[in-house]
Amino acid sequence: MNENGWNIQKANNLYRFSRWGKGFFTIGDDGNLYAAFRKDDEEVKISIVEIIQEMERQEISLPAVIRFPDILSNQVHKLCNAFKEVIDEANYSGKYCGVYPVKVNHMRRVVEEIVETGREYNFGLEVGSKAELLLAMGMNSNRNALTIINGYKDIEMLRLAILWKKLGSNSFIVLEKMSELDVVFQLAEELGVEPVLGIRAKLLSKGMGRWASSTGERGKFGLSSVEIVEIVEKLKDRGKIHWLRMLHFHVGSQIAKVQVIKDAVIEAARVYSSLYKMGVPLEYMNVGGGLGVDYLGSGVDNKSSLNYSTRNYVENIVYNLQQICELEKVPSPNIVSESGRFLTALHSLVATKVIDRVQLDYLDFHDEKQEKEHILLTNFRQNLELIDKHNYLDVYYDVITDRSEAQNAFRLGVISLEESARIDALFWQICRKIQNFERAAGLFTEELSQLNLYLSPQYICNFSVFQSIPDNWAIGQLFPVAPLTRLDECPQIYGTLADITCDSDGKLDSFIQTNYPNNSLLPLHDLRPDEDYYLGIFLTGAYQEVIGNLHNLFGRVNQVNIKFDNEGASGFYFEEIIEGTSAKSVLEEVEISEKVLQAQVKKRIDMMKADGVITPRESVKILETYTRSLRGQTYLNR
Ligand SMILES: *Cc1c(COP(=O)(O)O)cnc(C)c1O
């Protein structure tokens, strides 16, 4: 405990580390945040601030993605063991064969860790495009692990898929469209391969929430029952019905309600049984993705949270499949699932540094009455003098009206720019007093919530929302944000965050905390002049790294992969450092080459040199500076 009864337990409650962090993030007695996980049956801890300090020693600057491959492998074990346990308990006759949908995070290190950890479970990969298939052909090195090939496919992709089968893979081509089947017939004959097929069913059970439209009758994906029956007929006619061995469905990502999963499984189990009885030798039921992540740490049915545990999810799949198959008297299928978000979200965080604080704060401004000043200005000064704990709400309504009159008066030329500026400064001073009276009284009046927002500081952070957490901007996805240090000190400031892009959407003003006064402000510590203040944005391992874009030409951030090290004093080492994108490469993305830019700038320099504006020595220096920046990174360098 320290001043005002603060302790790290309170910090943990406020930022909800143990709730969304699932045991992977804990606060140390030193007030710093640690990553924690199991390693060879031992609990190990790594200080995130020490990682950042070591990065700084090695001149790897923030913002950076800090990645813990051990968290990934922990998640793979968790998912596979949950299925194994429930299958054993239920005496379920099929087995579990998981696959990782690579679209969730294609980073080499991520795919590698999942493939390696998954080897003992024959954990495979799922792909949905040609480039992803090329990735899987090179990286899915376990011959027993599945490759699930989803998505719209052209002839080239189907050819690759069939060749992948010829190379001895355990792969399934999941038919997404009727027309794919004819191409498969043609290529199978041409290449002399018997492919194994799945069909993606368009279920009637609707996913809820954001991805509801990926299923249902108007869904973009999958085959209707009419089309499925037609495919079965076609395969039978050609004597190839033995090719069809998997039924697949996917109700959408981040399913918030367990009931949605249950409904979909039951419906799919009925389709499965009917097809089986029609003579289709199905062996696998692929339940797709959707297993959610609790970004809010609230455990409720909300678009950023969910109302079920991993165990619940698995039970709903296994027991419902078992029950329907028993009722229908068909053998229970092997279960395939395609969980991406669940495996990857927790393993990486984005670390950033606060570089500035912006606030409407004119507390030092002192106003003196001047001769012949406008009456509006006099009113504001008097209000500032008169305000007290009894009348502050009345004063608030007064100054709101007066301020809008002052703005009109300025437009009409009645008051000068200088007077208008003085009125603004007085207005914000009055507001600050109102807020203090309100806080002293322990009240949070609804009317003043907007005022609290205006008066709160913005902490400017060195990163881009569009590159590092695009889903926050695109679909309002919330991510936990918290200081990485000083968690043993009570945070006294409530503020919002802004990034360094020149886009007013480049901000964070919605947080998982609901404590004060609503979720638009994040509890923060006051900045100290000679100390860096670090913030972490968590659960960014799923989707963000690939969806991130180059808005304002901010490129990829630095990445460090951290491994636990029981030898060294720090307890960790950098397994790999991957530098962020250079300015030169983001410019190349928009087809502007380094050479052309340099040539143009050199022309300009030569002109100025000819005019005698710059010396030959300066001209060399300028070109050098320009070139160094082109090769440097895109974020602020301090
Ligand atoms: C995106 C996708 C997934 C991954 O879903 P998560 O909810 O991230 O686990 C699985 N299967 C298919 C077909 C997908 O399109």
Side-chain angles (χ1 to χ4, degrees), residues 101 103-104 126 150 200 250 253-254 289-290 338-341 543:
K103 75 154 188 271
V104 181
E126 183 266 356
N150 284 323
R200 178 161 181 176
H250 171 66
S253 198
Q254 186 65 16
E338 305 174 331
S339 280
R341 191 185 293 274
Y543 297 100

